[in-house]
Amino acid sequence: MNSEHGRRNDVIVNGPVGRTLLELLLPILLSNVLQSLNGSIDAMWVGRYIGKAALAATANANTILSFVVASIMGFAMAATILIGRSLGASDLHEAKKTLGTSATFFAVVSTSIAAAGLLGAEPLLVAMHSPPSVLPLAAAYLRIMFAAVPFQTSYLFVTIVVRSAGDTRTPLLFQLAAVGLDIVLNPVLICGWGPIPGAGIAGSAAATLIAQTSSLAALAVYLYRRRHVLCLRADDAPLLRPDWSRVRTIVTTGIPMGLQMAVVSLSTIAMISLVNRFGASTTAAYSACLQLWNYVQMPALATGMAVSTMAAQNIGARRPDRVRRIARTGILLNLAITGSLVAAISAASDSVLRIFLPADAGVVLTAQHIQAAVTWSFVPLGVTFVLSSIARACGAVRVPLVILFVAFWCIRLPFAALLMRTWGADALWWSFGLGAIVAMTMSLAWYGMRGSRCGVNGAFRAGAGTSDFAR
């Protein structure tokens, strides 16, 4: 292992928990902010210069895309947790073997899904009850975004792998470059400039495709020139041949992780299908709120990623005492940061929502109402995100899946679907808080019974096999 990674690994398994977690968290958080800022600026261009039908179209299309990416990324997360454990145990060769197999597997899966998505974009949107005025725009946008899936997911895979080695700053720098390029290209390709014709909503999708592809290429070149510890070189080429025992481990552990994210994304698709029943204006207001919620949930997501990196390496180093401290610190950080962000956004919601919406007073009022009813729910949901990361690092990959399935599909969506006939759209908004509280309560119950003993007596040892990892 090179000296830079050795120092970073020593800090993760021996340094102060709070400061180390914060140092890992902040670049991830800034990277997530940049990603959401990119989406917000895209939404601003689409909503203000094309119209509310186009904004509703991007909300429908991006909901499908989020589900697809989340499902694929379950396999990437499974691989990177195993890589993190190997790095924590100072076994670089084992980490590279897992990386080689997972990279090949990941490329095949993402390319196959992109091909299927190009053919099935419009039927998916029809199944979601997309309004007639929205459907053609959403289909055009979604087809291009599906073409970008192999590049987008490969970029996410590489950044997650780099973070699993404890480096959260490098992905941030390249995320900044990708967002900057996307921001510059969006108005050019949407509205046209000079000899470049305007492509409308398809131009927004094309800007994302170009930016993601360019950033992926630049990041790969940078990592090889810096001789990153996990780079696979010519003599590592045999590692790209799939090791079927590792594929089996990645699949059996990645499926619950992918299903966990799919449960969330599918519930979002189901929710927007219910929202669509109230018309394009309500969908446009909801899509503007989605832009705010992207920011509200970022601290919890970033904390979860940092917690997962630290916990996996400390389990590999056989430091269960630190895993418990990592869990407590992660929860406190989430409560402080997410709670403050919810308060700030709630105070300024009127001004912020108007950025994404056309000059329609009714749509703005609807968006304000949705925001007030839903945004607070991301505080308890953030606790669930943090404890889910601990569960995954410990090997209890089915626990977050069961918790989120019960909270979202057995509680939140039935509540919304059954009561919207009586309460109207308000049933949808209040279901968010109910689901979040149920998920947090179940997560805390699991942690109290089993999670606090993660790693004790070698129960979740470094290099654990499939049976250990998929508990």
Side-chain angles (χ1 to χ4, degrees):
M1 245 182 242
N2 63 30
S3 58
E4 180 183 357
H5 174 72
R7 288 192 299 272
R8 188 179 295 121
N9 182 70
D10 182 66
V11 170
I12 289 175
V13 299
N14 293 307
V17 170
R19 188 176 70 189
T20 304
L21 187 60
L22 196 59
E23 288 176 352
L24 289 173
L25 183 159
L26 288 177
I28 297 174
L29 178 57
L30 290 173
S31 181
N32 290 346
V33 168
L34 287 171
Q35 184 65 38
S36 290
L37 179 63
N38 185 29
S40 297
I41 293 174
D42 291 356
M44 180 187 70
W45 277 100
V46 170
R48 294 179 70 88
Y49 293 95
I50 304 179
K52 66 182 181 182
L55 183 60
T58 61
N60 279 265
N62 285 331
T63 300
I64 293 175
L65 192 69
S66 295
F67 162 69
V68 170
V69 172
S71 301
I72 298 173
M73 293 310 295
F75 300 116
M77 291 174 62
T80 53
I81 287 174
L82 295 175
I83 291 169
R85 289 189 182 186
S86 297
L87 293 174
S90 299
D91 191 343
L92 180 58
H93 182 66
E94 185 72 15
K96 282 191 169 185
K97 286 172 69 176
T98 301
L99 175 60
T101 289
S102 58
T104 300
F105 172 78
F106 194 68
V108 172
V109 170
S110 62
T111 303
S112 301
I113 289 178
L118 286 170
L119 297 174
E122 188 165 339
L124 284 171
L125 291 164
V126 170
M128 288 174 61
H129 304 286
S130 297
S133 62
V134 168
L135 184 59
L137 294 170
Y141 181 86
L142 186 57
R143 288 191 186 99
I144 298 176
M145 294 303 288
F146 263 118
V149 162
F151 305 101
Q152 181 181 8
T153 55
S154 294
Y155 177 75
L156 291 172
F157 176 67
V158 172
T159 58
I160 291 175
V161 167
V162 172
R163 286 170 181 164
S164 73
D167 180 4
T168 58
R169 295 178 183 177
T170 298
L172 171 62
L173 296 176
F174 284 88
Q175 185 67 51
L176 179 62
V179 169
L181 182 59
D182 199 347
I183 289 173
V184 170
L185 289 176
N186 248 278
V188 172
L189 298 182
I190 289 174
C191 303
W193 182 70
I196 302 174
I201 195 171
S204 178
T208 300
L209 171 59
I210 294 170
Q212 291 285 348
T213 305
S214 301
S215 184
L216 172 63
L219 176 58
V221 170
Y222 174 83
L223 292 175
Y224 274 93
R225 287 186 174 177
R226 290 295 301 269
R227 299 183 177 274
H228 190 273
V229 65
L230 288 175
C231 280
L232 299 178
R233 300 191 174 275
D235 54 350
D236 294 319
L239 299 180
L240 292 171
R241 288 197 297 266
D243 177 337
W244 295 110
S245 65
R246 292 175 192 274
V247 170
R248 186 166 54 252
T249 300
I250 290 169
V251 169
T252 55
T253 56
I255 285 176
M257 292 185 187
L259 286 175
Q260 176 195 338
M261 291 184 285
V263 161
V264 176
S265 295
L266 278 174
S267 71
T268 305
I269 292 175
M271 183 61 70
I272 203 169
S273 297
L274 297 177
V275 173
N276 284 336
R277 296 170 189 262
F278 292 90
S281 293
T282 301
T283 302
Y286 180 72
S287 67
C289 290
L290 286 175
Q291 295 297 326
L292 288 186
W293 299 338
N294 284 337
Y295 294 98
V296 172
Q297 66 184 335
M298 280 189 297
L301 294 172
T303 303
M305 291 178 188
V307 162
S308 182
T309 296
M310 281 194 73
Q313 290 210 28
N314 278 274
I315 290 169
R318 304 194 178 191
R319 297 292 307 273
D321 57 311
R322 287 175 60 83
V323 176
R324 291 191 290 270
R325 290 163 58 195
I326 290 166
R328 290 194 299 270
T329 305
I331 290 173
L332 292 174
L333 281 172
N334 165 72
L335 292 174
I337 300 174
T338 304
S340 299
L341 191 57
V342 166
I345 285 181
S346 297
S349 64
D350 179 62
S351 300
V352 176
L353 287 168
R354 289 179 184 275
I355 295 174
F356 306 110
L357 293 169
D360 186 324
V363 176
V364 173
L365 286 174
T366 300
Q368 289 175 320
H369 178 68
I370 296 170
Q371 185 279 136
V374 173
T375 305
W376 66 270
S377 69
F378 288 95
V379 176
L381 192 60
V383 176
T384 301
F385 288 163
V386 172
L387 292 179
S388 293
S389 297
I390 291 291
R392 288 193 297 266
C394 292
V397 295
R398 295 174 186 167
V399 170
L401 171 61
V402 171
I403 289 173
L404 291 177
F405 179 80
V406 170
F408 287 10
W409 285 91
C410 299
I411 303 294
R412 187 170 91 177
L413 286 170
F415 178 93
L418 291 174
L419 293 181
M420 72 180 188
R421 297 170 185 171
T422 304
W423 293 359
D426 280 347
L428 279 57
W429 320 140
W430 288 111
S431 71
F432 280 82
L434 178 61
I437 291 173
V438 169
M440 180 183 70
T441 302
M442 294 177 68
S443 298
L444 290 170
W446 169 81
Y447 185 75
M449 290 187 293
R450 292 201 59 187
S452 60
R453 299 190 295 278
C454 174
V456 176
N457 299 323
F460 300 103
R461 59 189 181 278
T466 303
S467 62
D468 297 306
F469 197 66
R471 294 184 184 194

